[in-house]
Amino acid sequence: MATAAGEARCVKCGKEKSTVRCDGCSQPFCYNHLIEHRQELDKQLDEIEVNRDLFRQTLTDQSAKPENQTLMKQVNQWEQDSIDKIRHTANKARELILKHTTKYLTEIEIKLDTLTKQLRESREENDFIEADLQRWNTQLIEMNNELDKPSNITIQQDLTPLISTIRVNVSGNL
Ligand SMILES: [Zn+2]
Ligand SMILES: [Zn+2]
């Protein structure tokens, strides 16, 4: 079949026909397929418009609720994780103190019983001197101190930081 001048192969159907070159993609189309080609482009434009509408909604939502922003969520997550770590460490420390408190309270209880007996006996017998009074006084003061701050439990601060800090860096003009 002879090919008339100006005829080329349509990229869609591959037939040699009168074609029109699309300005956008520079490809030759027969008339039928040129219409189809334009329809395809229209469809793509439709999709972009749908996505634009979706993005418009996302932007509106985020302007109304900036706390939903991913960066904000990242900060919130860091905050929560840090609090959890601190709370966990504090709970462990309290647990350990409580466990030992029960033990030393029993010990103080026994010491106080002994002192009470001594005081009672000394009064009944009316047998005590200044040195006894001094000793009992010291014992009471010691028990008082021990009750407030048991000598075998101390709290030591570790220099290793429990949490890492965060910083927001903003570059450019804002
Ligand atoms: Zn064609
Ligand atoms: Zn085209």
Side-chain angles (χ1 to χ4, degrees):
M1 203 198 289
T3 306
E7 288 190 351
R9 276 182 201 280
C10 165
V11 290
K12 280 280 163 164
C13 58
K15 288 177 184 161
E16 284 182 3
K17 285 183 172 181
S18 298
T19 58
V20 178
R21 221 166 262 278
C22 165
D23 278 343
C25 61
S26 307
Q27 303 221 75
F29 294 92
C30 69
Y31 297 142
N32 285 343
H33 286 120
L34 180 70
I35 293 168
E36 206 182 275
H37 182 54
R38 288 305 310 174
Q39 283 169 344
E40 268 170 29
L41 297 186
D42 278 344
K43 223 174 88 189
Q44 286 178 27
L45 181 62
D46 287 348
E47 277 170 28
I48 290 173
E49 276 179 340
V50 167
N51 287 332
R52 187 224 75 102
D53 291 347
L54 285 173
F55 182 69
R56 171 69 267 171
Q57 191 52 49
T58 307
L59 182 61
T60 305
D61 291 351
Q62 198 146 107
S63 302
K65 278 191 159 187
E67 66 271 22
N68 284 345
Q69 203 193 337
T70 305
L71 289 170
M72 288 288 209
K73 284 181 182 166
Q74 227 172 301
V75 174
N76 295 348
Q77 189 61 53
W78 172 84
E79 184 185 28
Q80 194 52 56
D81 289 349
S82 303
I83 291 171
D84 288 349
K85 269 187 210 164
I86 291 170
R87 196 160 285 159
H88 178 72
T89 307
N91 282 341
K92 269 203 324 201
R94 276 189 291 259
E95 237 173 69
L96 209 62
I97 291 171
L98 209 63
K99 206 175 119 192
H100 284 86
T101 301
T102 322
K103 211 177 126 197
Y104 81 74
L105 282 182
T106 315
E107 283 165 13
I108 293 176
E109 200 74 61
I110 292 166
K111 278 187 203 166
L112 184 63
D113 276 354
T114 311
L115 177 68
T116 309
K117 254 180 236 158
Q118 276 180 15
L119 294 181
R120 201 175 291 145
E121 278 170 20
S122 301
R123 186 181 282 287
E124 278 169 11
E125 302 295 328
N126 201 9
D127 180 23
F128 57 93
I129 55 169
E130 286 86 343
D132 295 322
L133 296 174
Q134 181 72 44
R135 197 180 68 248
W136 296 329
N137 242 330
T138 309
Q139 282 178 5
L140 263 178
I141 290 168
E142 275 172 8
M143 274 187 253
N144 234 314
N145 290 342
E146 184 75 6
L147 183 63
D148 185 48
K149 223 176 166 202
S151 56
N152 63 340
I153 306 175
T154 53
I155 288 175
Q156 185 200 328
Q157 281 220 6
D158 205 321
L159 288 177
T160 324
L162 180 62
I163 53 161
S164 55
T165 188
I166 52 167
R167 193 175 50 223
V168 177
N169 296 316
V170 180
S171 55
N173 305 319
L174 270 175

